Amino acid sequence: MKRTLLILIAMLTLGMTGTKAAENDVLVSTDNTTMLLFAKKGEPLKFVYYGARINEQQASDIWLAGDASNRNAYPTFNDWCPNESAIRVRHANGQIMLNLLVQDVERKAVTGGELVTVKTKDKVQPLFVDICYRSYNNADVIETWTEVTNREKKDVVLEQYASAYLPLRSANVWLSHQHGQWGNECQMYEEPLTAGMKVISNRDGGRNTHTDHPEVMFSLDGQPRETMGRTIGAALCWSGNYSMRMAFDPYDQSLFHFLAGVDETAAAYHLGANQTLRTPELALTYTDEGKGGVSRNMHRWARQYKLHNGMAVRDVLLNSWEGVYLDITEEKMHKLMDGVKQLGGELFVMDDGWFASDKYNRDKDNAALGDWNVDRRKLPNGLQHLNDYAKQHGLKFGIWIEPEMSNWKASELYDKHPDWFLQNTGVEPVQQRGGTQARLDLCNPKVQDFVVGVVDRLMTDCPELAYIKWDDNAITANYGSTYLGSDRQSQIYTGYHLALRKVLERIRAKYPDLVIQDCASGGGRVNYGLLPYFDEFWTSDNTDALQRVYIQWGTSQFFPANAMAAHVSAAPNHQTQRTIPLKFRFDVAEAGRLGIEMRPSDFTTKQLAFAQQAVEDYKRLRPVIQLGDLYRLLSPYEQGGVAASHMYVSADKGKAVFYAYKLKHFVGHTVPPIRLQGLDPNRSYRIKELNKVGNSITADGKLISGKVLMEAGLALALDNEYASRMVELTAE
Ligand code: DGJ
């Protein structure tokens, strides 16, 4: 009764009793989805529908069907105070009311889709908010964000400025999200949304994905399934502090509110007269193919539009960190390069430890960050020599930097520019890694120039440098800027990341082909705010293959394989001390962008031959592994000891590769045949097992119909501890 009344009120409010004015419908559509808004001039913008694609006639029918939620699409803190709001402002006159009314709707074609801008203005003050929707047709993604422009005479303070709001109607919504910590990133959590508010947020200040990730999925038909169910995926494209709030409507238990954007803690943003702030995009996707459908859409979107150079396959590399740590010498670098060449790799990356200054050495992790000069004690012939050595061996050369950081009182950078660090006058600063590390104040344009200069200098000293590993190993402490004025201290969090984006834009404009890895003590910065500037990310500092199965499962929810760096490391593993067979280690690392994180000289002759073959097969198959559609077959969380984590299928369904891992082993613990996904049921596939050690799977070499592989499954004989399989399928 109450609900019928509400709907009636909604319809009356909008002046429609069955004859809605279709000219006010705003459809934002992709190939398979539609978001429907209602934009009537002089009224707030309304959200009506988000789901499977509908046409204009069907859009009108939604009103007749009677379930239009009548929610403002971008709710403001206004006279109806208890409402969830996405934006709260303090006007120049001190008042905090905001009523955004539609002025106009603009549409324009953009690459792969359309940009729809709903222009709104406060009822009273000259404060303008453009509410933007950008469709990506073939990925079924719609991004939404706002652009707030202050035309008042003085500063307007944005106390809250979320990117987007989405009202969702379902009586049984489940949330899937990733949570973790250093070395254990991206663990999966799934739970029904119940009464009260659920908040997912991060306030690290610099790296926002070691703990909770700013990407979530909502399963609208109850418990999340991998292959079915109406599911919405949402990714906030932001590298700084964020919060995502989910709350049931106090008056309607089948309606819940979802808000996502910059976290407002200590983040009030002063918008000067005639200035505009653009909020980060929230990327949304909808599918009825469950979590797998969301992942495939997001991966397609990422590769085509978001990730830097996202359609390209990545090189097989060796990174020096776990091989030598800070103990870098020219001889050791030569040896590692010889090793990766022997394995069939294509790129060598020299990690931390190569730099110094006259006064400070990087022999421990407590000094010299910021002093980016080659340490001639360790590398007498400099970087160009290493690049030449790599080149002679048919390899590319890459290097590690951490340009947003320096060591407090332990770097020449500090000696020269103590004011370039975030700090509060008279307060002893918090110093982190090595007891001295602190973050630079990127809000200061001179610091921005310095950071760009670090890359410029490397590219001048070593013009053929092919790869940079860009690290970030401390939180944002010492929340104070000597550059920003006393009235702007609360915008360090936001200002820092806007500045970081500027810096990266400058670097990318100059060096579009340089491959840059996004690293932050492992997976601390795996987000779509930064990935437009990076080719890949370091998934985790934890290279233990068993734990990586879980980390990579979680990471694959939103991020594609060509961005997910996965390295084979030593046994016992340096993080967990676990000893895992080389085959299992390769089978896990080959599910992402394969690399090596150990000394190849530690391989036995037999292991070396195995690794060489593995690298060769990986290089042959990487177009499908790195760029194919992902199907997750069997979750490590659900099946008590086995995971058939990743199956990659080429767009034409002619080629596929998948992996299966035994995660624990007990007598009697057998594994049933595993049903494959994504194949063409009308074609037959030749089965070829790769990375073989010991017995083969029964089907090895056989030609089997796609239908049978997907319905009856494939027996994998995973019958000993750390058993694993890598299988290639080729349609004939
Ligand atoms: C943290 C990174 O995640 C590691 O891979 C390594 O690069 C170290 N920093 C170097 O200090």
Side-chain angles (χ1 to χ4, degrees), residues 546-558:
L546 184 64
Q547 206 165 344
R548 271 294 185 119
V549 170
Y550 293 86
I551 294 171
Q552 294 177 187
W553 178 273
T555 304
S556 77
Q557 302 296 314
F558 280 88

Side-chain angles (χ1 to χ4, degrees), residues 454-475:
V454 172
V455 176
D456 276 341
R457 228 184 103 197
L458 282 173
M459 295 306 287
T460 310
D461 292 352
C462 188
E464 288 171 316
L465 191 73
Y467 180 105
I468 281 181
K469 176 173 176 177
W470 182 302
D471 208 343
D472 196 71
N473 289 303
I475 66 158

Side-chain angles (χ1 to χ4, degrees), residues 548-680:
R548 271 294 185 119
V549 170
Y550 293 86
I551 294 171
Q552 294 177 187
W553 178 273
T555 304
S556 77
Q557 302 296 314
F558 280 88
F559 298 97
N562 63 340
M564 182 173 75
H567 295 184
V568 173
S569 62
N573 177 267
H574 293 191
Q575 293 79 41
T576 61
Q577 306 311 315
R578 212 187 326 260
T579 296
I580 292 183
L582 189 64
K583 169 179 168 47
F584 192 102
R585 285 182 270 151
F586 262 97
D587 285 354
V588 172
E590 286 189 50
R593 196 280 285 131
L594 175 66
I596 310 291
E597 189 83 21
M598 61 181 286
R599 292 181 297 245
S601 53
D602 288 347
F603 285 137
T604 62
T605 314
K606 209 169 146 198
Q607 285 179 324
L608 182 65
F610 173 87
Q612 283 168 328
Q613 185 62 50
V615 170
E616 192 182 316
D617 284 333
Y618 177 83
K619 288 200 307 202
R620 180 174 59 81
L621 291 172
R622 73 183 146 187
V624 59
I625 296 170
Q626 295 191 7
L627 308 175
D629 282 331
L630 169 69
Y631 293 85
R632 284 179 299 258
L633 305 180
L634 210 58
S635 165
Y637 291 91
E638 285 163 15
Q639 296 296 328
V642 64
S645 286
H646 295 116
M647 171 161 178
Y648 298 109
V649 183
S650 63
D652 65 1
K653 296 193 183 290
K655 186 67 109 181
V657 176
F658 81 92
Y659 311 83
Y661 315 110
K662 191 91 194 267
L663 305 178
K664 60 184 179 199
H665 183 67
F666 299 105
V667 170
H669 186 178
T670 52
V671 179
I674 288 170
R675 292 174 62 203
L676 308 188
Q677 294 175 39
L679 300 174
D680 183 341

Side-chain angles (χ1 to χ4, degrees), residues 319 321 351-352 362 400 433 469 471 473 519-522 538 541:
N319 183 58
W321 182 242
D351 207 290
D352 195 354
R362 185 72 173 169
W400 177 96
R433 188 181 186 193
K469 176 173 176 177
D471 208 343
N473 289 303
C519 172
S521 312
W538 183 219
D541 271 351

Side-chain angles (χ1 to χ4, degrees), residues 26-29 105-119 132-137 145 147 278:
V26 178
L27 281 83
V28 185
S29 291
V105 178
E106 290 176 0
R107 310 189 77 117
K108 81 167 186 205
V110 288
T111 315
E114 200 185 8
L115 173 64
V116 179
T117 306
V118 181
K119 305 191 92 63
C132 307
Y133 301 87
R134 197 265 196 233
S135 58
Y136 295 86
N137 293 339
W145 70 93
E147 294 174 14
R278 178 186 160 128

